Amino acid sequence: MIKVVAKNFPKEDKIAEVIELCKELVDATRKEEGCIKYELFQDVNEPNVLTFIEEWVDVEALNKHMASEHFTRIIPEFGEFMLKDGDINVYTKVI
Amino acid sequence: MIKVVAKNFPKEDKIAEVIELCKELVDATRKEEGCIKYELFQDVNEPNVLTFIEEWVDVEALNKHMASEHFTRIIPEFGEFMLKDGDINVYTKVI
């Protein structure tokens, strides 16, 4: 299992737009084969930290996701709403 | 449900020691009431990124955890093994 934490920093006045965009991405992604979990979270102390926490059966499934029509179409749309680049980590479980 | 992502940056030559310390913390924490999930992950591209991804029934359970004997005893022991301060986010689910 592969876990991904993809942290995003939307502009304070664009949080709602980003969440709206995320809905379409989440709906399409959850239908993908190999997608175990794909959820969006908001930091309780910093509302302009929106983070995807994802689980994939393997790296191939994650790579297929990042090459998918919905991912390659929607991700660029986030650009104008963001304060700075995101922070992405791809993990495997240790304990 | 509260999700916590606690990212740690051990010194490259201290990763094994940190993982060893984490085992004790994980064992004790998983027994805590209100702990849904408490897992340690390692970044597939950056082995010196070790991250706890946690789920708690609510903020009270998380606060009790951070005041627990094992947490308050073990966390300071990490200090000497770390390259820099960790990066912690406490989340609620949006989608």
Side-chain angles (χ1 to χ4, degrees):
Chain A
M1 186 270 284
I2 293 289
K3 196 112 171 175
V4 174
V5 178
K7 203 162 145 178
N8 301 283
F9 306 93
K11 295 170 186 167
E12 304 246 341
D13 60 343
K14 296 296 179 192
I15 293 171
E17 281 93 331
V18 170
I19 290 175
E20 210 44 45
L21 263 178
C22 288
K23 281 177 184 162
E24 188 188 349
L25 182 60
V26 167
D27 285 348
T29 299
R30 284 177 178 165
K31 293 174 189 138
E32 288 183 53
E33 211 190 313
C35 176
I36 301 168
K37 243 184 200 176
Y38 197 85
E39 298 175 318
L40 182 70
F41 292 85
Q42 185 170 32
D43 188 292
V44 299
N45 304 307
E46 300 171 82
N48 72 321
V49 173
L50 289 174
T51 298
F52 283 107
I53 301 178
E54 316 166 20
E55 286 182 20
W56 297 91
V57 292
D58 53 32
V59 175
E60 286 68 39
L62 173 57
N63 290 337
K64 257 177 82 182
H65 165 62
M66 292 194 293
S68 67
E69 184 282 330
H70 47 276
F71 186 89
T72 52
R73 172 171 50 80
I74 295 172
I75 291 298
E77 293 179 34
F78 282 105
E80 62 178 294
F81 299 134
M82 295 298 172
L83 209 59
K84 58 181 180 177
D85 287 347
D87 178 27
I88 297 178
N89 290 94
V90 178
Y91 295 113
T92 51
K93 187 174 168 185
V94 177
I95 312 169
Chain B
M1 186 268 286
I2 294 288
K3 196 112 171 175
V4 174
V5 177
K7 204 163 146 178
N8 301 283
F9 305 93
K11 295 169 187 168
E12 305 246 344
D13 61 343
K14 297 296 181 191
I15 294 171
E17 281 93 331
V18 170
I19 291 175
E20 209 45 45
L21 263 179
C22 289
K23 282 179 186 161
E24 188 189 349
L25 181 59
V26 167
D27 285 349
T29 299
R30 284 177 178 165
K31 293 174 187 139
E32 287 183 54
E33 212 190 314
C35 176
I36 301 168
K37 241 182 202 178
Y38 196 84
E39 299 175 318
L40 181 70
F41 292 85
Q42 184 170 33
D43 188 293
V44 299
N45 304 307
E46 300 172 79
N48 72 322
V49 173
L50 288 174
T51 298
F52 283 107
I53 301 178
E54 316 167 20
E55 286 182 19
W56 297 91
V57 293
D58 53 33
V59 176
E60 285 69 37
L62 174 59
N63 290 337
K64 258 177 82 183
H65 165 61
M66 291 195 294
S68 67
E69 183 282 330
H70 47 276
F71 186 89
T72 51
R73 172 171 51 80
I74 296 172
I75 292 297
E77 293 179 36
F78 282 104
E80 62 178 296
F81 299 133
M82 295 299 173
L83 209 59
K84 58 181 179 177
D85 287 346
D87 178 28
I88 298 179
N89 291 94
V90 178
Y91 294 112
T92 50
K93 189 174 167 183
V94 177
I95 313 169

